[in-house]
Amino acid sequence: ADPSEIDMRAADVFSLGCSMVYLFLDGHHLFSLDSLIDYKEGRFDIEKTLDKIGDDDIKELLLKLLNKDPKDRILAEDTIKYFDEFYSSAKRYFANLGNSGENLFENNPEKAFYLLNSLLSLAQPKHLIVIFAYVSDQLLKINNVDSIILGLNFITSMSIQMSTNIKLTRVIPFLMYYTKFISQTILHTSLYSILEVLKSIDEIPEYLNGYFTYYLNNELNTLWNQISDENNLNKDMNNNSEFSSYFGLVTLAEFVPHYCIIVSNFSPDSLQNFSILQEILTTQKFEIFQYFSNSFQSVIHKSDISLFSSLYLYFLSNMNLPDERFKTEVFKIISGFCNNIKGNDIKYKTFFQDK
């Protein structure tokens, strides 16, 4: 096209749309060069990607900013109607957080989150993604453990009001990122924050049916493998440093039963390929297995037959270990399951006890 014929205002509006998508999708670009060409020629549909934002008003605005026909794009001055009073308030709060002369998130996190809680009181559920995007971006810039803990707790509490889509595709991956942070406290906070988010979900959308099998279970399996390096594990058994492989595995071993209880409500079959269970149940470190067993016994009253059916073969694998202590712990777990079987599932009780 002749450069003199390009509508630069329409081009700027399109660029604004791309920048907004980058913000609302945590730094993920809407287009590559190839997909931009495909979009121009009608072969790439952006609506599915924009659905991840979770705000219908913002999605509507972005579709108007990114219209393929420059003549049909919204004028910049007309975008203001899509931004209610909250966005003006957010701009003032974010300015106060950024212009205080210090890094509040790093040096004065109590003040930073006091301001954010004040902003939160003005927000509707559809606004929470903006606060999430801002806080998550700030946390990624700091290394102060106490500040990160406050931030993760803030995001977890705020996420309860968010849509299921945002919880699964934005919040949990962000929390999962921090499980790889070299801090025992942050590992523990991240894992149990994931549990809190999952507890707040009633149903997994059909288009995310493979969420546990293909994403979250794999992430946790990888985390276990990264922590369980044998050299580090032997070296760190008696180490009281901020992070060690041994204490990392203990944290995961205690976490897994709570996680299994929740996942069994959504997708019990996905646990059959949850290799971290096999690793725990065949570990040669009895102390780690005992932490797992104690944790399981503490939550077993929340389980049902579907969970036990998924895990039964894992438990049987420990019957062949030469260390009798493993067998004792497995019997405790199985007994707990049997004692918890009620109603129509009572027929399974005799079967498992005979086995």
Side-chain angles (χ1 to χ4, degrees), residues 17-18 20-21 24-25 30 39 45-67 74 79 82-83 87 126 129-130 165-166 207:
C18 291
M20 287 182 63
V21 172
F24 280 99
L25 293 184
L30 178 60
Y39 177 63
D45 185 0
I46 64 174
E47 288 206 42
K48 191 171 182 179
T49 301
L50 298 184
D51 282 339
K52 297 177 182 178
I53 291 173
D55 184 321
D56 291 340
D57 290 337
I58 295 298
K59 177 185 173 183
E60 180 185 338
L61 170 60
L62 289 169
L63 288 172
K64 291 182 177 181
L65 291 169
L66 298 167
N67 196 298
I74 190 171
T79 63
Y82 289 91
F83 297 97
Y87 292 97
K126 69 176 184 177
I129 189 63
V130 176
N165 178 66
I166 292 176
Y207 64 89

Side-chain angles (χ1 to χ4, degrees), residues 99-163:
N99 297 328
S100 60
E102 60 175 331
N103 186 332
L104 287 182
F105 285 89
E106 184 82 46
N107 302 316
N108 194 349
E110 290 80 8
K111 181 178 180 181
F113 287 103
Y114 172 80
L115 289 171
L116 285 169
N117 276 304
S118 298
L119 176 61
L120 196 58
S121 68
L122 305 175
Q124 300 175 31
K126 69 176 184 177
H127 300 135
L128 299 180
I129 189 63
V130 176
I131 303 177
F132 169 79
Y134 177 80
V135 174
S136 59
D137 178 67
Q138 293 300 312
L139 289 182
L140 292 173
K141 298 174 182 177
I142 63 177
N143 294 305
N144 182 292
V145 170
D146 291 338
S147 299
I148 292 172
I149 296 296
L150 282 172
L152 296 180
N153 288 334
F154 177 86
I155 284 175
T156 302
S157 176
M158 178 179 64
S159 73
I160 304 306
Q161 301 179 61
M162 291 178 167
S163 69

